[in-house]
Amino acid sequence: MRYLSVTEIAKKWDVSERSVRNYCAQGRVNGAFLTGKTWNIPENAEKPERSNKKKEQPITLLNILQEQKASKYSGGIYQI
């Protein structure tokens, strides 16, 4: 298996070198290991998902009722 450096992976994933090092230190890159102060990352490693990525808001009853009221939904509690 061929291993790439942090610099090569950063260019491949289009992120900063610091981000790659953080991913490796947090254990989010499978197969990456530290040799001295150098990270060795498998060339087929996939870029981890961002942890601060926006998450969809769950649909609540309040949202449904507000949507029905705004669209004047027939048969809902706001029909009158």
Side-chain angles (χ1 to χ4, degrees), residues 24-52:
C24 294
Q26 294 168 0
R28 295 173 60 192
V29 180
N30 292 334
F33 61 93
L34 200 57
T35 303
K37 293 183 179 181
T38 306
W39 283 102
N40 296 307
I41 307 164
E43 67 179 343
N44 61 352
E46 293 182 15
K47 179 181 174 184
E49 287 287 321
R50 291 177 52 175
S51 60
N52 64 351

Side-chain angles (χ1 to χ4, degrees), residues 56-71 73 77-78:
E56 284 188 35
Q57 295 279 339
I59 298 174
T60 62
L61 180 59
L62 177 62
N63 293 346
I64 294 169
L65 292 174
Q66 287 174 339
E67 187 177 304
Q68 286 179 0
K69 184 177 182 181
S71 66
Y73 177 75
I77 64 170
Y78 295 109

Side-chain angles (χ1 to χ4, degrees), residues 6 9-10 13 15-25 41:
V6 170
I9 290 291
W13 290 347
V15 295
S16 68
E17 292 180 25
R18 183 175 181 161
S19 294
V20 175
R21 284 191 196 91
N22 286 340
Y23 288 149
C24 294
I41 307 164

Side-chain angles (χ1 to χ4, degrees), residues 3 32 55:
Y3 293 95
K55 297 178 178 128

